[in-house]
């Protein structure tokens, strides 16, 4: 047993060396120059989180010299103290300029009294690629960089551009549309919002959230194509943005299997067009009471779906099915709290 404990780390290091050395020797000059070109355009984002299954960090990439940043829409951004660290270690406060939750997209703006002139990716090119295209994935996965350290770089190949089933299918996705599926393990904690780039330095897409196939329990590595995100990025930057959510009409045929009260939630009266989803009362002995939710908690996410109002909350809960896993993220004062519940059987 002692020999095994000693040998395992040695074997691991040898395997790691064997894995890394050939890569560094065979990477083409073009990919090396692309890495040097891309790294200054990546940023590290730090915000809300820090509790179970709720990471307080993510990745983004610059899309303008003035400091506009494209990133993933996530609970990390739900804070008044959002900070961004550039490749050279400079730290800025940032604000959420706008978001399109149905594209999993948010655009940030650095706060600076000085005029900025930063390197950036040209998202307006709307570059596309097909299967077999070699790519580089840049992200701050696992929070490897907090200052001027470079973010991680992964080499891979595009396997397909396809539409993944949404939450009621195999994958729990809020985004609906085409994605690039890649053969590199890109979608790790903190990696969401990173950049997918071609070997010649063209921006292809934004790395998505961690998503698992509910049927096979396997993870999918995907990115959101930049040609899908480009229009919304430009509209948010220019101030001419109309969220697709605002344009949606209520779906009268949407299922209403569950209501907040079925989990023990009594919400504030829904009197406005967008009444915030504040909890008015928690029923004693209920599922949410046992999980620790309290009056005045604000429900901000249900299964990664942004909750903008009581109506949105009712809609999301109504689509649940018996046996589903319900993940709630609530805001209490300046903290985000995450809980998980098993959806009970439907009442007859």
């Amino acid at each position: 047993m002692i020999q095994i404990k000693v040998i395992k780390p040695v074997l691991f290091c040898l395997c790691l060396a064997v894995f890394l050395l050939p890569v560094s020797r065979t990477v083409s000059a073009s990919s090396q120059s692309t890495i040097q070109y891309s790294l200054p355009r990546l940023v590290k984002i730090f915000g809300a989180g820090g509790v179970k299954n709720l990471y307080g960090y993510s990745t983004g990439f610059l899309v303008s010299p003035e400091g506009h940043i494209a990133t993933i829409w996530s609970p990390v951004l739900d804070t008044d103290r959002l900070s961004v660290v550039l490749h050279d270690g400079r730290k800025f406060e940032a604000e959420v300029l706008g978001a399109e939750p149905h594209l999993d997209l948010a655009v940030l703006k650095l706060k600076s009294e000085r005029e900025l002139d930063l390197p950036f990716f040209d998202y307006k090119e709307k570059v596309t690629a097909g299967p077999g295209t070699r790519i580089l994935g840049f992200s701050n996965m696992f929070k490897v960089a907090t200052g001027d350290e470079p973010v991680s770089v992964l080499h891979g190949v595009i396997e397909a551009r396809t539409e993944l089933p949404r939450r009621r299918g195999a994958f729990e996705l809020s985004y609906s549309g085409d994605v690039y599926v890649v053969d590199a393990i890109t979608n790790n904690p903190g990696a969401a919002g990173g950049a997918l780039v071609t070997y010649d330095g063209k921006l292809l897409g934004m790395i998505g959230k961690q998503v698992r196939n509910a049927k096979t329990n396997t993870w999918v590595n995907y990115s959101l194509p930049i040609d899908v995100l480009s229009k919304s990025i430009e509209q948010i930057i220019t101030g001419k943005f109309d969220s697709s959510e605002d344009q949606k009409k209520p779906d009268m045929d949407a299922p209403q299997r569950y209501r907040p009260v079925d989990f023990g939630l009594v919400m504030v009266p829904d009197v406005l067009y967008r009444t915030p989803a504040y909890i008015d009362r928690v029923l004693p002995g209920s599922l949410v009471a046992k999980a620790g939710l309290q009056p005045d908690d604000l429900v901000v996410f249900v299964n990664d779906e942004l909750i903008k109002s009581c109506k949105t909350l009712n809609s999301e809960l109504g689509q649940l099915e018996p046996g589903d896993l319900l993940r709630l993220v609530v805001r209490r004062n300046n903290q985000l709290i995450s809980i998980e519940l098993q959806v009970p059987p439907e009442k007859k």
Side-chain angles (χ1 to χ4, degrees), residues 48 54-55 57-58 71-79 104-106 192 209 301 304 306 336:
L54 196 62
Y55 303 104
Y57 58 95
S58 59
T71 187
I72 203 77
W73 176 247
S74 76
V76 174
L77 307 180
D78 190 23
T79 178
D104 271 354
L105 169 71
K209 300 173 181 176
F301 281 88
D304 296 328
L306 176 69
L336 289 179

Side-chain angles (χ1 to χ4, degrees), residues 286-293 339-341:
S286 63
L287 290 173
V288 294
K290 294 175 182 178
L293 294 193
I339 68 167
E340 292 186 353
L341 305 169

Side-chain angles (χ1 to χ4, degrees), residues 118-275:
L118 301 172
F120 64 97
F121 286 112
D122 186 0
Y123 66 90
K124 296 180 182 179
E125 285 191 87
K126 301 182 182 179
V127 177
T128 59
T133 303
R134 299 174 71 185
I135 54 88
L136 298 170
F138 296 83
S139 74
N140 192 26
M141 58 181 179
F142 301 112
K143 199 179 177 180
V144 297
T146 57
D148 61 356
E149 309 92 344
V151 299
S152 298
V153 185
L154 292 175
H155 296 254
V157 174
I158 293 177
E159 293 183 338
R161 176 164 173 160
T162 184
E163 183 174 354
L164 296 180
R166 292 191 67 199
R167 183 158 52 86
R168 295 266 58 88
F171 299 100
E172 294 189 355
L173 274 176
S174 56
Y175 168 75
S176 177
D178 285 355
V179 300
Y180 288 119
V181 179
V182 299
D183 69 349
I185 305 176
T186 52
N187 299 63
N188 297 290
L196 195 74
V197 179
T198 63
Y199 263 39
D200 59 354
K202 302 294 185 181
L203 179 66
L204 267 182
M206 179 177 69
I207 295 174
K209 300 173 181 176
Q210 290 180 280
V211 173
R212 182 163 49 190
N213 187 312
K215 297 179 180 178
T216 64
N217 203 34
T218 56
W219 298 91
V220 61
N221 295 290
Y222 73 100
S223 293
L224 309 173
I226 194 61
D227 62 306
V228 174
L229 304 177
S230 179
K231 180 179 178 180
S232 292
I233 293 175
E234 183 171 10
Q235 288 181 339
I236 293 173
I237 291 176
T238 58
K240 301 177 181 179
F241 182 64
D242 292 318
S243 173
S244 61
E245 181 175 287
D246 294 331
Q247 300 169 10
K248 281 191 170 184
K249 296 182 179 179
D251 187 355
M252 303 305 294
D253 298 326
Q256 296 296 322
R257 301 186 185 93
Y258 292 93
R259 300 173 299 161
V261 71
D262 295 326
F263 301 92
L265 293 173
V266 178
M267 310 305 294
V268 297
D270 189 9
V271 295
L272 303 174
Y273 170 67
R274 276 193 179 177
T275 302

